Amino acid sequence: MGCDGSKVADVIDTNPDVPPEENDFSELVTDTIRSTWPLLSDDIERTGIKVFLRIFYEEPKIRNVFTRFGEMDEIELRRSPIFKEHAYRFMRVVDDLVDSMDQPKTHIQQNLMMLGAKHATFEGFRIEYFEAYSKSLIDVWEYTIGEEFIPEVRESWTEFFDYLVKYMCQGYNVFINETDVTCNGDDHFRFE
């Protein structure tokens, strides 16, 4: 007794025009990231604060994008509930991406492109700032993980952040190229 459904599966599996949905990270990269993530997410808000302080050190102009806390000094930032909440939300995005590494690539790519497009709406945000985020994340990861931040761990996280930056930049560029964005002077944007 045969099953006609298995014949359909054979045709789909051998059709070169229909690539299978797969994730974009090797098993080694996924395992390395997921095994080191608990070291980074143990105190997720604190880690996020370190990341943003490092970003502001690496690229001081990024502060101008943050109208609610960009003018604060480091001591004020560490005490600011608004800054802490932003750092926490940022790290939750990283957490969600780590959790979804085994999802089909289109799921992750679409979310990253939307996030990149959202950044294009922030007055003063420039696409090259994504690189400052990536570098700062690696620096904070190295400091936080310590001696366990071996070359394999660095390479895995670098691949992960390069992937994030690639699709966020694509979303940013799509938004900029397909939308006429104007500011009416009071930080409210109008999309035409």
Side-chain angles (χ1 to χ4, degrees):
M1 220 183 322
C3 175
D4 289 335
S6 63
K7 293 178 185 173
V8 172
D10 290 342
V11 171
I12 291 172
D13 289 343
T14 59
N15 185 345
D17 296 331
V18 181
E21 273 291 317
E22 57 187 47
N23 56 33
D24 283 337
F25 301 103
S26 71
E27 190 173 327
L28 175 65
V29 169
T30 301
D31 289 347
T32 301
I33 287 174
R34 286 193 172 154
S35 68
T36 54
W37 180 239
L39 300 170
L40 300 159
S41 63
D42 183 46
D43 187 348
I44 203 165
E45 181 182 284
R46 184 171 179 230
T47 304
I49 289 168
K50 288 179 187 177
V51 169
F52 272 91
L53 292 175
R54 185 67 186 182
I55 290 168
F56 293 162
Y57 173 79
E58 287 293 324
E59 185 56 69
K61 292 178 184 177
I62 290 177
R63 282 178 169 266
N64 298 331
V65 175
F66 299 98
T67 57
R68 296 174 68 193
F69 55 79
E71 296 295 319
M72 294 180 186
D73 64 28
E74 184 175 334
I75 294 169
E76 293 171 313
L77 286 170
R78 288 181 183 276
R79 292 181 182 156
S80 168
I82 296 167
F83 177 70
K84 289 183 201 180
E85 176 63 22
H86 185 79
Y88 175 79
R89 283 193 336 261
F90 172 82
M91 292 299 292
R92 292 294 305 156
V93 169
V94 176
D95 185 54
D96 290 344
L97 292 167
V98 169
D99 283 346
S100 65
M101 287 180 72
D102 54 1
Q103 296 292 317
K105 60 183 172 185
T106 54
H107 171 77
I108 298 172
Q109 291 168 357
Q110 288 171 351
N111 288 340
L112 290 171
M113 289 180 71
M114 287 189 302
L115 189 57
K118 182 178 179 179
H119 280 75
T121 68
F122 301 148
E123 184 175 7
F125 192 91
R126 298 167 44 148
I127 196 166
E128 53 270 11
Y129 292 167
F130 289 128
E131 290 297 326
Y133 277 69
S134 185
K135 181 186 181 325
S136 297
L137 284 159
I138 290 293
D139 290 347
V140 170
W141 273 208
E142 181 174 17
Y143 175 80
T144 304
I145 293 173
E147 65 185 30
E148 293 181 44
F149 199 73
I150 60 176
E152 176 184 302
V153 173
R154 175 184 291 281
E155 290 165 13
S156 294
W157 279 105
T158 299
E159 180 179 329
F160 183 77
F161 293 136
D162 287 350
Y163 181 89
L164 270 57
V165 167
K166 173 183 174 181
Y167 288 101
M168 289 179 72
C169 286
Q170 283 183 12
Y172 182 98
N173 284 328
V174 165
F175 184 87
I176 293 297
N177 293 330
E178 293 185 6
T179 309
D180 182 17
V181 181
T182 58
C183 180
N184 65 9
D186 60 359
D187 292 335
H188 291 82
F189 292 92
R190 184 176 71 247
F191 305 102
E192 301 171 341

